[in-house]
Amino acid sequence: MSTVRRVAVVLVAVSALALTACGPSDDDAAGGADGPSASPTKPATPSKPAKPVASPSKGSTGGGSSSDPDYDVFPCSTHDLKFTATLAEPTTSSYLLKITNKGTKACKALGHPSVTFGELDGQANQRGTAPAIEKAIRLEPGKSAYAGLMGGANDGKGKTVNSIAMTMDTESDVAQTPLKAATPKLYVSPKNSVTAWMDNAEDALSL
């Protein structure tokens, strides 16, 4: 082989090696061990906030409704009242009992008054039927209610007293200070009875 031909073969081989060295490597094609990831990490989806707990309706109460004008009106006690007794019928020792709301809030006069006689034991019997609680008399400040304390003719078997004491039906065990009223020579016998509270004196004495 001539010298010129050998030189040509060597040049062709060198060129082929140079082209191979300049080509991309497998690592470069794949991004390399230290290259960026093929796809970015998906951001985490934030969790939904918890729903607030529903609060009870404003003005709601356990035993009544604000639509009922009497839902917060308590029974009258002797702490709320002024009490008087006026002789209505001397022959039978019958008296008109009167209570007046001296407070600043309305109260309800429930049932019958409890009436005791001076230092004697026992109390007046209840006369007639009292209205249901929801129909009891509502006493606004300064307003009054009435009851009739009925007696009987003096048969010589009873006793006389000069005062009575009264407490209210409050549908509870709340302590009350009895209210006293003068009743000179009131004749007390088993016939004494007291009506429920009325909104007028005439009804209280005619029952």
Side-chain angles (χ1 to χ4, degrees):
M1 182 181 296
S2 65
T3 302
V4 174
R5 190 173 181 179
R6 290 177 180 174
V7 170
V9 172
V10 171
L11 291 174
V12 170
V14 170
S15 298
L17 290 172
L19 290 173
T20 301
C22 292
S25 66
D26 291 340
D27 287 341
D28 291 341
D34 297 330
S37 174
S39 61
T41 303
K42 187 176 181 181
T45 303
S47 59
K48 294 182 179 180
K51 292 183 179 180
V53 178
S55 59
S57 300
K58 186 176 182 181
S60 174
T61 61
S65 168
S66 58
S67 62
D68 179 2
D70 288 338
Y71 84 101
D72 60 348
V73 177
F74 291 91
C76 301
S77 76
T78 55
H79 301 289
D80 308 312
L81 305 170
K82 177 182 176 181
F83 172 59
T84 61
T86 305
L87 183 62
E89 175 53 59
T91 304
T92 59
S93 289
S94 295
Y95 279 78
L96 176 67
L97 310 183
K98 178 182 178 181
I99 54 172
T100 303
N101 185 353
K102 66 178 183 179
T104 59
K105 295 182 179 180
C107 64
K108 277 198 167 186
L110 303 186
H112 296 73
S114 296
V115 178
T116 55
F117 304 96
E119 301 300 324
L120 301 181
D121 293 331
Q123 62 185 42
N125 300 312
Q126 293 183 353
R127 185 184 186 95
T129 303
I133 292 177
E134 60 271 15
K135 295 183 178 181
I137 298 172
R138 176 184 173 125
L139 288 185
E140 299 291 343
K143 297 298 182 180
S144 300
Y146 306 86
L149 177 61
M150 310 302 187
N154 189 338
D155 57 8
K157 297 180 181 180
K159 295 183 178 181
T160 59
V161 296
N162 293 318
S163 67
I164 59 173
M166 186 277 301
T167 56
M168 299 292 293
D169 178 6
T170 61
E171 289 288 320
S172 71
D173 295 329
V174 61
Q176 298 183 70
T177 301
L179 298 179
K180 294 184 178 182
T183 53
K185 298 182 179 180
L186 169 64
Y187 183 72
V188 181
S189 74
K191 295 181 180 180
N192 292 108
S193 60
V194 65
T195 70
W197 293 112
M198 308 284 180
D199 60 6
N200 65 87
E202 183 178 355
D203 288 345
L205 291 172
S206 62
L207 184 60

